[in-house]
């Protein structure tokens, strides 16, 4: 049976030095506001507010529900989960109609749900949405 080489002191020290750095990277992604409620997309219809809050060609981010609602040029509403498809972080920034993930910088079009900047490769999950009595209602069963 061949003899197994033992780890050198240098190899052990390199591994010990790298471990805290790797752990810090994970902690940074899991910090406050970086995905704490990422799994909390609506599981039932949720009243998001007045229909007038979303203008034609615009979008509104509803952080408390991890939902973005947009209205295309014809006036049709669309809703998407704002849980990033790359690492599951809650997206908390909307510039115009572009959603920006705080964890790794993925960007999505709020009107189509499509990725406009990687590292994400999958579009956002579309949610049912409707206007009822002047209110926006989104989520399963909407």
């Amino acid at each position: 049976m061949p003899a197994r080489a033992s780890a050198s002191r240098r190899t052990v020290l390199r591994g010990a030095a790298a471990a805290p750095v790797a752990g810090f990277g994970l902690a940074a992604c899991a910090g406050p506001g970086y995905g704490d409620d990422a799994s909390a997309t609506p599981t039932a219809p949720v009243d998001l507010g007045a229909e007038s809050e979303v203008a034609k060609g615009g979008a509104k981010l509803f952080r408390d529900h991890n939902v973005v609602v947009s209205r295309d040029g014809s006036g049709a509403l669309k809703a998407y989960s704002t849980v990033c498809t790359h690492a599951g972080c809650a997206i908390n920034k909307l510039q115009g109609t572009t959603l920006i993930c705080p964890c790794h910088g993925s960007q999505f079009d709020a009107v189509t749900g499509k990725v406009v900047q990687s590292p994400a490769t999958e579009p956002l999950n579309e949610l049912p949405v409707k206007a009822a009595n002047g209110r926006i209602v989104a989520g399963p069963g909407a």
Side-chain angles (χ1 to χ4, degrees), residues 39-65:
S39 63
T41 55
T43 56
V46 176
D47 182 329
L48 297 174
E51 182 181 1
S52 61
E53 291 185 47
V54 182
K56 279 187 181 180
K60 180 163 181 170
L61 177 59
F62 298 91
R63 286 184 190 92
D64 293 348
H65 299 288

Side-chain angles (χ1 to χ4, degrees), residues 59 68 91 93-101 106-111 116-117:
V68 66
I91 298 171
K93 187 173 185 180
L94 177 67
Q95 284 184 327
T97 57
T98 301
L99 291 159
I100 303 166
C101 181
S106 293
Q107 295 183 13
F108 300 86
D109 182 325
V111 177
V116 294
Q117 182 174 302

Side-chain angles (χ1 to χ4, degrees), residues 19-32:
V21 173
F24 175 75
L26 293 174
C29 284

